[in-house]
Amino acid sequence: MTTPPASMRLCGNLVHTLLEAAAALPTKTAVIEAEGASTWADLAARAQAVATALADSGIRPGDRVAIFLPRGAGAVASFFGVLGAGAIAVIVNETLRPRQIEHILNHSTARLLLTIPAMMDRLPRAVETTASLVSLSDIPASGTSEPAPRVDGDIAHIVYTSGSTGLPKGVTISHGNLRAGAQSVVGYLGITEDDRIASLLPFSFDYGLSQLLCAAQTGATLVVEPSPVPQRIVRTLRAHEVTVLPAVPPLWQQLLNVEAFRAERLLSLRIMTNTGGRLSTDAVRVLRECQPQARLFLMYGLTEAFRSTYLSPSRADRKPNSIGQAIPGAEILVLDEELAPCRPGEIGELVHRGPTVALGYWNDPEATARVFRPHPLRPPGTPDAERVVFSGDLVYRDEEGDLFFVGRRDTMIKTLGYRVSPDEVVDVLHASGEVVEAIVTGEPDALRGSQVVAYVVLREDGDLERLRAFSARELPRYMQPSRFEVRPALRRTPSGKYDAAATVRDGHDPG
């Protein structure tokens, strides 16, 4: 791939971001991982080889290519290689089981799955798919190719996130969306090429991918730590002099339990960021006390718009429970049931407007129409075609314009930084053949944010331990119920629907 002229920097195929970093800083370290370090030139050459291999395999612009790889330089090169070929990347979370992988491959109609044998071998069973399997190990480490022409509005990425209908929904993200998000975050965080950004979260999570895109946008270095063990994370932060530390609330809670993080300053650390759930007021206070040299940014986002708000560090001490104000380039509306703007203190739905608004849901026009709607309060001159995202999140503004999260309109469970659909978990419980009825709810949990709890009625020959084992085999860790409660029957509403609230109130009979 050749380096594009400066006039192309703000448009077209996002792979140009990688090419520009490689041209400007070819020998600078781009990724540090346990296997070693890669330069920006290394990544660009490897991405070109991936793009060539995909084209040779028959992949054409617009085709979907799934990536199931460990987080690291190989996954980075594969992501940009898919974009370079003009295809649409579908990053599969490393922790998913065959059931979820198959759904993603089938729903996205992925033509090819880019992986390595070690990833497939560790699954409890083989993945059943019509997609061709290509091993990254068989692709040369470098190559040359020309980027496929793409425009800002073309789909670059499909992010799969659990939806209220049960199975994960695919959010279609454009090249322009990804570029705008990275530019906004780089701007308000003040990231430069001298930074070392910790990569602790999966690239399948938009927050995790953001660290990669911010590094490519600026030429900063991405420090990959795959281990979830907080003591090891702290050692990596110190050993590689990390300057930017993004995490989700459960991970922050784990880090605060590590003496080496809580009692010893990481002198290189200058920025800490949180999203994926609200960080408790106490955790904010302790973070500020134990790492006072680092500026703490409290942020809020949703996959359908990537990032919506951030709270500036100067307000973190005074308003630790606020999600702040709109990110640069976005507008946040708070609307009541009649789609009128709410006054300060009034609770309404958060509606996001701006260049990070995604294109919709893959192959789901009905869900797209519910969430991505015409701008209800179009200013003069606004194009009629502009769509905004109705988040489903209830918030209010204070007199200074800062936003505060109240709750969700739906029943989604936010746990370990993920949104979990109760319906999807219930489907798996029923598939076990051990239950006749099941309700899944979320309960507050200091470590996870919320924990997944299952209330079940077992079949006459059903077995709780077999149910536990089936759930552990078929569900990723963050979706597995942390507690099962066996009931003789589940409560229902007068209309015959399950009454989750009444079932929970009935008392506990832990299994």
Side-chain angles (χ1 to χ4, degrees):
M1 301 178 194
T2 57
T3 304
S7 62
M8 293 182 63
R9 293 191 64 178
L10 299 180
C11 62
N13 197 323
L14 188 72
V15 75
H16 293 314
T17 301
L18 172 63
L19 301 181
E20 290 162 9
L25 303 163
T27 61
K28 185 176 182 297
T29 300
V31 175
I32 295 173
E33 55 189 330
E35 292 76 12
S38 303
T39 67
W40 285 110
D42 293 336
L43 290 182
R46 196 170 185 187
Q48 291 176 81
V50 170
T52 298
L54 293 177
D56 291 345
S57 298
I59 295 299
R60 297 293 178 262
D63 287 343
R64 275 72 63 204
V65 174
I67 300 170
F68 186 50
L69 290 167
R71 184 162 32 91
V76 173
S78 296
F79 174 74
F80 282 112
V82 171
L83 301 189
I88 298 170
V90 182
I91 303 177
V92 180
N93 190 306
E94 301 168 52
T95 67
L96 294 186
R97 300 294 198 267
R99 179 185 296 266
Q100 291 81 37
I101 297 171
E102 289 163 355
H103 169 74
I104 290 172
L105 295 176
N106 292 335
H107 187 267
S108 66
T109 57
R111 290 194 56 197
L112 187 146
L113 175 61
L114 188 57
T115 185
I116 55 175
M119 292 291 290
M120 304 301 287
D121 291 344
R122 73 186 191 188
L123 294 173
R125 64 172 174 82
V127 172
E128 298 179 7
T129 178
T130 59
S132 301
L133 268 62
V134 173
S135 174
L136 182 63
S137 307
D138 295 335
I139 298 176
S142 64
T144 58
S145 64
E146 290 295 321
R150 299 279 88 186
V151 300
D152 273 9
D154 285 331
I155 302 173
H157 186 205
I158 302 177
V159 180
Y160 274 85
T161 178
S162 290
S164 58
T165 57
L167 290 170
K169 294 183 295 186
V171 181
T172 53
I173 314 292
S174 72
H175 290 263
N177 291 154
L178 294 174
R179 183 177 292 105
Q183 289 175 340
S184 182
V185 172
V186 163
Y188 70 74
L189 292 184
I191 295 175
T192 74
E193 68 180 70
D194 296 324
D195 279 310
R196 291 191 166 201
I197 305 171
S199 174
L200 310 178
L201 306 168
F203 291 154
S204 57
F205 182 18
D206 56 356
Y207 187 28
L209 185 64
S210 175
Q211 280 98 65
L212 163 59
L213 298 182
C214 287
Q217 182 74 34
T218 58
T221 298
L222 196 69
V223 179
V224 176
E225 177 48 72
S227 173
V229 178
Q231 291 84 354
R232 180 169 168 178
I233 291 172
V234 174
R235 288 197 296 269
T236 297
L237 299 177
R238 196 175 300 279
H240 295 292
E241 298 182 322
V242 164
T243 62
V244 182
L245 176 55
V248 292
L251 181 52
W252 283 122
Q253 294 288 354
Q254 291 176 324
L255 290 173
L256 287 174
N257 287 328
V258 178
E259 184 69 16
F261 182 85
R262 186 167 182 149
E264 301 175 32
R265 292 188 187 181
L266 298 172
L267 297 180
S268 63
L269 190 62
R270 69 182 195 88
I271 295 171
M272 300 184 292
T273 69
N274 175 76
T275 192
R278 189 178 75 84
L279 199 57
S280 71
T281 300
D282 184 62
V284 170
R285 177 185 58 79
V286 177
L287 267 178
R288 294 282 295 113
E289 290 174 353
C290 69
Q291 300 294 336
Q293 80 288 352
R295 303 174 71 211
L296 175 61
F297 289 80
L298 303 176
M299 308 183 299
Y300 157 91
L302 64 158
T303 306
E304 291 82 353
F306 169 58
R307 183 71 43 71
S308 292
T309 68
Y310 77 101
L311 184 71
S312 65
S314 62
R315 294 174 181 253
D317 291 329
R318 188 160 57 92
K319 298 182 179 182
N321 57 337
S322 172
I323 60 173
Q325 301 187 13
I327 63 171
E331 180 183 10
I332 300 301
L333 309 172
V334 182
L335 304 181
D336 63 19
E337 296 286 350
E338 304 300 322
L339 301 184
C342 292
R343 296 188 299 272
E346 287 186 342
I347 296 173
E349 183 169 358
L350 184 146
V351 177
H352 179 116
R353 176 194 182 206
T356 62
V357 170
L359 303 180
Y361 296 113
W362 179 260
N363 199 28
D364 195 342
E366 291 184 5
T368 297
R370 286 195 303 270
V371 175
F372 298 86
R373 305 186 214 167
H375 193 319
L377 304 171
R378 288 196 298 270
T382 301
D384 289 341
E386 182 188 0
R387 292 189 299 174
V388 296
V389 170
F390 281 72
S391 69
D393 288 337
L394 300 176
V395 300
Y396 69 89
R397 272 196 175 98
D398 66 10
E399 294 290 347
E400 294 181 308
D402 289 312
L403 291 157
F404 294 80
F405 179 82
V406 176
R408 287 284 303 168
R409 286 191 183 278
D410 58 29
T411 59
M412 297 296 291
I413 302 168
K414 195 66 172 284
T415 180
L416 295 171
Y418 295 89
R419 285 192 298 171
V420 173
S421 163
D423 290 343
E424 185 179 1
V425 180
V426 167
D427 287 346
V428 173
L429 299 183
H430 279 290
S432 72
E434 305 293 336
V435 306
V436 291
E437 292 184 290
I439 290 176
V440 169
T441 65
E443 291 185 2
D445 181 88
L447 186 60
R448 299 176 178 88
S450 293
Q451 62 176 332
V452 180
V453 179
Y455 296 85
V456 300
V457 178
L458 294 174
R459 291 184 180 276
E460 186 174 347
D461 59 346
D463 181 84
L464 182 58
E465 292 310 311
R466 289 200 301 264
L467 178 61
R468 290 187 198 275
F470 185 89
S471 300
R473 186 169 63 250
E474 295 294 326
L475 290 169
R477 184 172 64 89
Y478 65 88
M479 291 179 68
Q480 294 172 18
S482 58
R483 190 175 79 248
F484 288 85
E485 296 204 9
V486 178
R487 298 290 174 82
L490 301 181
R491 293 284 294 276
R492 296 174 183 269
T493 65
S495 63
K497 298 179 180 179
Y498 284 125
D499 190 335
T503 298
V504 172
R505 288 196 304 269
D506 272 350
H508 297 284
D509 181 19

